[in-house]
Amino acid sequence: MDVVSDAIAAVRIGRPSSNRLRVGGAWSARIPAYEGAGFHVVLEGGCWLLPDGGEPVRLGAGDAVLLPHGTGHVLASAPLDRDAAGLAVPIERLLAAVRTTPPPAPVGPLDGATGPLPVLDGAPGPLPVLGAASGPITELLCGKYRLEHSRSHPLMLELPDVVHLPNRVGAHPQLRAAVDLLGGELAADGAGGALAVPSLIDLLLVYMLRAWLASPRTAAGAGSGSGLGLGADAPVAGPGAEFGAVGAEPGAGGRWPAALGDRVVAGALRALHEDPARGWSVEELAASAGVSRATLTRRFTALVGRAPMAYLAWWRMTRAAALLQQTADPLDVIARRVGYATPYALSHAFSRQFGTTPGRYRDRMAAHFADG
């Protein structure tokens, strides 16, 4: 697979979950911090996203927003101060009201509500409206991807707490198409929707990451050739350095947009991810990228934060951890899939990176996610 696909697949657990809401009048909803990533798509109207410890973000119709680190936040009809945000209704109460659709109750504001939540039957749209129908109506798709952050790829770690992708004419056409398809599928409630909707939500995550990588801020400094400033005098990290811990950031948005925008480094990464079990050497990898060993090592290390073989060793262990959690394959099969000749060799390397044996890691993951 490619780097972005592998970065997602390594941490994904199960299928995404999603819910739709239609709210009106003055309202606010609290979404607590989550072990995974959250997202919202505004299908109609608009609202505000108030991340814990961050700046308010105005969301309009067609906007998508990703919270890749599960940051707690409030969704509201208007900006709120800290005290007002503390009175936001837990999102679970809103979702429960939609699921049960109780008889109509007196209309009133939803921020700080403690009694039964008002539901207006017969309001326009496929869902009941929570709150007052006299003001603007907002329809949202809210969802979560469950992730195992201990296996996070540095590309995922580099994402900001809030990735806002506004609905602008001509911007991110694939993302816009996915949002339109998802909205249409949800409105139609047609045959096969139980399969189509989670698949479209998976597609949404890929397109949100692509849009972030392609945005001008994250792409700053990315390119190919000497435009990266990676000549002989560029700072080079030591082979054991941690990701992102050495040298100057190649671009304003972080190192990974620059790495994936560089022809040589992106080609080397693609080769490693397509066949991590191969007995790679720096010479073979450099030949596949069409450069010398010294050039590959310098550019790869400066942009990725580790030398090529150190990155390969890390990725093999990360892939092994994902296979231990996601499959029932025996250790010898997993060892061969990630480039180790024997289960003992894999176990030794795995224990060094994760501080536990493969068997204990598998048992711990199974117990931790038994309720998922």
Side-chain angles (χ1 to χ4, degrees):
M1 290 196 287
D2 62 276
V3 176
V4 173
S5 298
D6 272 338
I8 296 171
V11 296
R12 279 287 310 279
I13 298 167
R15 306 189 79 182
S17 60
S18 64
N19 294 278
R20 288 168 68 210
L21 285 173
R22 281 173 63 85
V23 287
W27 61 274
S28 60
R30 155 65 63 179
I31 297 89
Y34 176 71
E35 188 178 2
F39 71 92
H40 303 289
V41 176
V42 182
L43 302 175
E44 176 188 349
C47 64
W48 287 81
L49 183 141
L50 314 170
D52 294 350
E55 294 298 316
V57 179
R58 177 76 172 90
L59 303 178
D63 284 11
V65 62
L66 175 69
L67 297 103
H69 309 301
T71 303
H73 57 286
V74 169
L75 293 172
S77 55
L80 303 175
D81 60 26
R82 184 188 299 266
D83 292 338
L87 298 175
V89 176
I91 190 71
E92 290 80 6
R93 291 190 61 210
L94 296 183
L95 298 177
V98 172
R99 285 191 293 266
T100 57
T101 315
V107 175
L110 290 181
D111 36 350
T114 56
L117 297 177
V119 177
L120 304 180
D121 291 324
L127 288 175
V129 177
L130 301 177
S134 57
I137 302 298
T138 297
E139 182 171 346
L140 295 161
L141 173 69
C142 307
K144 297 175 180 177
Y145 303 94
R146 196 171 192 185
L147 308 179
E148 171 46 44
H149 287 299
S150 71
R151 300 195 298 264
S152 287
H153 190 278
L155 167 62
M156 304 292 284
L157 295 174
E158 198 170 83
L159 289 164
D161 287 340
V162 177
V163 178
H164 177 211
L165 300 165
N167 180 17
R168 295 187 181 129
V169 176
H172 316 310
Q174 293 173 319
L175 175 61
R176 301 273 67 85
V179 169
D180 290 343
L181 282 171
L182 188 55
E185 187 64 40
L186 290 165
D189 194 24
L195 180 62
V197 170
S199 298
L200 286 170
I201 293 174
D202 278 336
L203 191 62
L204 194 67
L205 177 58
V206 174
Y207 286 156
M208 285 191 284
L209 288 178
R210 279 188 188 174
W212 175 77
L213 287 166
S215 65
R217 184 180 179 206
T218 54
S224 61
S226 60
L228 285 163
L230 296 178
D233 296 329
V236 176
E242 291 297 321
F243 290 112
V246 294
E249 292 293 347
R255 90 173 45 246
W256 276 90
L260 296 178
D262 177 69
R263 176 186 60 83
V264 170
V265 175
L269 285 166
R270 187 180 309 111
L272 294 177
H273 280 261
E274 285 178 351
D275 192 5
R278 179 174 169 176
W280 289 102
S281 67
V282 177
E283 290 82 2
E284 288 179 307
L285 196 58
S288 74
V291 295
S292 69
R293 169 178 173 165
T295 297
L296 173 65
T297 300
R298 179 175 64 249
R299 290 170 70 156
F300 193 103
T301 307
L303 287 177
V304 173
R306 284 187 179 180
M309 294 301 101
Y311 177 87
L312 176 60
W314 171 84
W315 174 243
R316 284 172 168 173
M317 290 301 96
T318 301
R319 182 72 184 128
L323 291 170
L324 285 166
Q325 192 267 315
Q326 297 166 0
T327 75
D329 291 347
L331 195 58
D332 62 326
V333 172
I334 293 175
R336 289 194 297 272
R337 290 182 66 179
V338 298
Y340 283 82
T342 67
Y344 174 79
L346 171 62
S347 182
H348 181 71
F350 190 93
S351 298
R352 199 165 57 239
Q353 178 163 320
F354 286 93
T356 188
T357 65
R360 289 174 181 169
Y361 180 88
R362 172 175 269 169
D363 291 343
R364 191 175 74 220
M365 289 296 103
H368 184 62
F369 297 108
D371 61 341

